[in-house]
């Protein structure tokens, strides 16, 4: 079962993954800004909030799906050893994320390709909502982009897998989504200085070290259960 610490760790992963968000979502932010009519630039905050709400909804749905499926498997066949394996996987993914953020190893980028097949079918759907005619139109746009193949999201989903249920998995991913908000708002052009700070090498390396340490702590917990 995911502890309270693990749930809040998902929030921290979302925030510390700023460097990855900037690299992955820079093009999305540019396309999003161009989709807002020039006559409605004063409502940019509402468009951004609507888009990010849609994105977090998709994360939560994915977390509920993963959490529910693995909770059912645990009841049927996984047993204690299976749950330990899932926790080991969560620790390894957190370490890989830390290594990527610190720019020390980029294996996580290869894992992102796993979702490319699904994304090819989803991406064209987003084009149906642009240009936006109302902030509400940014909500489904954000929901679709929430399924963009992303190693950061995959890392957070491993915590949903050990959460113990659909509601717990959804909570983990909702907290993760909230953690990514500062970066995505910065990418939206509302906080240029924050964007510079989040992408600073010192911040990236400090974030990577913190995540690596938490990943190692998770591995220690998993081995202790054995």
């Amino acid at each position: 079962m995911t502890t309270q610490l693990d749930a809040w760790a998902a929030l921290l992963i979302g925030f510390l993954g700023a460097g990855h968000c900037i690299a992955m979502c820079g093009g999305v932010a540019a396309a999003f800004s161009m989709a807002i009519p020039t006559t409605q630039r004063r409502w940019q905050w509402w468009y951004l909030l609507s888009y990010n709400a849609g994105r977090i909804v998709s994360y939560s749905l994915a977390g509920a799906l993963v959490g529910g499926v693995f909770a059912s498997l645990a009841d049927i066949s996984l047993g204690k050893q299976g749950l330990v394996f899932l926790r080991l996987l969560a620790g390894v993914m957190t370490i890989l994320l830390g290594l990527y953020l610190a720019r020390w190893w980029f294996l996580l980028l290869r894992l992102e390709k796993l979702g490319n097949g699904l994304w090819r079918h989803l991406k064209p759907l987003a084009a149906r909502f642009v240009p936006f005619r109302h902030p509400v139109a940014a909500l489904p746009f954000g929901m679709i982009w929430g399924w963009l193949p992303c190693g950061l999201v995959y890392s957070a989903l491993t915590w949903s897998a050990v959460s113990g249920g659909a509601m717990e998995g959804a909570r983990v991913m909702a907290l993760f989504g909230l953690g990514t908000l500062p970066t995505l708002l910065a990418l939206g052009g509302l906080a240029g200085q924050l964007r510079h700070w989040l992408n600073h090498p010192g911040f990236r390396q400090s974030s990577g070290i913190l995540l690596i340490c938490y990943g190692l702590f998770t591995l220690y917990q998993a081995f202790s259960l054995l």
Side-chain angles (χ1 to χ4, degrees):
M1 298 291 287
T2 296
T3 65
Q4 191 68 21
L5 178 62
D6 292 339
W8 288 106
L11 179 71
L12 187 64
I13 288 173
F15 180 71
L16 294 181
H20 185 73
C21 286
I22 290 173
M24 281 289 295
C25 300
V28 180
F32 177 82
S33 297
M34 293 178 63
I36 301 176
T38 55
T39 56
Q40 298 194 33
R41 295 293 179 180
R42 57 178 177 161
W43 304 109
Q44 186 177 14
W45 266 107
W46 293 108
Y47 282 97
L48 280 169
L49 291 174
S50 181
Y51 163 77
N52 282 289
R55 189 173 54 84
I56 293 173
V57 165
S58 287
Y59 293 161
S60 300
L61 290 174
L65 177 63
V66 171
V69 167
F70 280 96
S72 299
L73 288 176
D75 290 337
I76 297 172
S77 60
L78 283 181
K80 181 180 178 180
Q81 290 185 335
L83 294 177
V84 170
F85 170 77
L86 291 175
R87 196 160 188 84
L88 287 172
L89 177 62
V92 169
M93 288 294 290
T94 303
I95 292 171
L96 290 178
L97 176 59
L99 291 170
Y100 169 78
L101 292 180
R103 301 289 179 90
W104 294 332
W105 199 27
F106 297 92
L107 179 63
L108 196 68
L109 293 179
R110 299 181 183 178
L111 298 179
E112 289 178 347
K113 297 179 180 179
L114 295 175
N116 284 343
L118 174 64
W119 180 240
R120 280 196 295 267
H121 296 287
L122 290 178
K123 186 177 179 180
L125 297 177
R128 299 182 180 182
F129 298 96
V130 295
F132 302 133
R133 292 181 173 82
H134 190 276
V136 175
L139 181 68
F141 183 85
M143 291 182 67
I144 294 171
W145 279 97
W147 297 95
L148 175 72
C150 174
L152 184 64
V153 175
Y154 297 162
S155 297
L157 280 173
T158 59
W159 292 106
S160 292
V162 296
S163 64
M167 291 299 295
E168 292 84 354
R171 180 168 67 103
V172 166
M173 291 306 293
L175 286 169
F176 163 76
L178 289 175
T180 65
L181 264 182
T183 305
L184 271 296
L185 291 176
L187 283 174
L190 298 177
Q193 187 59 36
L194 176 62
R195 176 179 178 179
H196 172 76
W197 179 69
L198 291 174
N199 203 32
H200 190 277
F203 178 80
R204 291 183 65 105
Q205 292 181 5
S206 298
S207 300
I209 291 171
L210 283 173
L211 289 176
I212 290 170
C213 289
Y214 190 75
L216 291 172
F217 172 69
T218 302
L219 294 181
Y220 168 77
Q221 285 183 315
F223 283 117
S224 297
L225 292 174
L226 290 175

